[in-house]
Amino acid sequence: MINVNEYFDGAVKSLAYQSVDGKSTIGVIESGEYEFGTSQHETMVVIEGKLVALLPGASEWASYTNGQSFEVPANASFKVKAEGQTSYLCKYK
């Protein structure tokens, strides 16, 4: 089954699904800055566009573009800034 998720008044939308590799979401983020919390380990892959992320324990923001990824541990929070619409794939462990 595919589940639809919407956050930040519709500025972030994703489709959640289960594959043989586990749970994933694929979505789009509008321009802006957002803070997310995790309950599971996440690997976030930028498909198209650019995300600038402030990851747990980091003191500086880092940029990620097409095909690049970053990981966030379970039970943590992280911030992202999107510069234009950005699509992503998030894999959960």
Side-chain angles (χ1 to χ4, degrees):
M1 171 162 276
I2 299 170
N3 294 315
V4 178
N5 302 307
E6 189 172 312
Y7 308 97
F8 305 103
D9 296 323
V12 178
K13 295 183 181 182
S14 68
L15 300 174
Y17 63 97
Q18 185 77 34
S19 72
V20 294
D21 295 328
K23 181 183 172 190
S24 298
T25 57
I26 189 161
V28 177
I29 300 175
E30 289 281 6
S31 296
E33 183 175 330
Y34 309 95
E35 184 169 1
F36 294 94
T38 65
S39 59
Q40 295 177 281
H41 179 274
E42 298 182 12
T43 301
M44 187 170 240
V45 182
V46 175
I47 297 170
E48 184 179 28
K50 179 180 180 180
L51 284 180
V52 182
L54 183 61
L55 301 177
S59 58
E60 295 188 24
W61 294 79
S63 296
Y64 301 89
T65 59
N66 303 7
Q68 294 181 317
S69 64
F70 58 88
E71 296 189 31
V72 183
N75 304 310
S77 64
F78 65 103
K79 294 180 181 180
V80 295
K81 295 177 190 175
E83 300 175 359
Q85 288 184 331
T86 301
S87 58
Y88 67 90
L89 170 66
C90 190
K91 297 182 178 189
Y92 302 90
K93 289 185 185 176

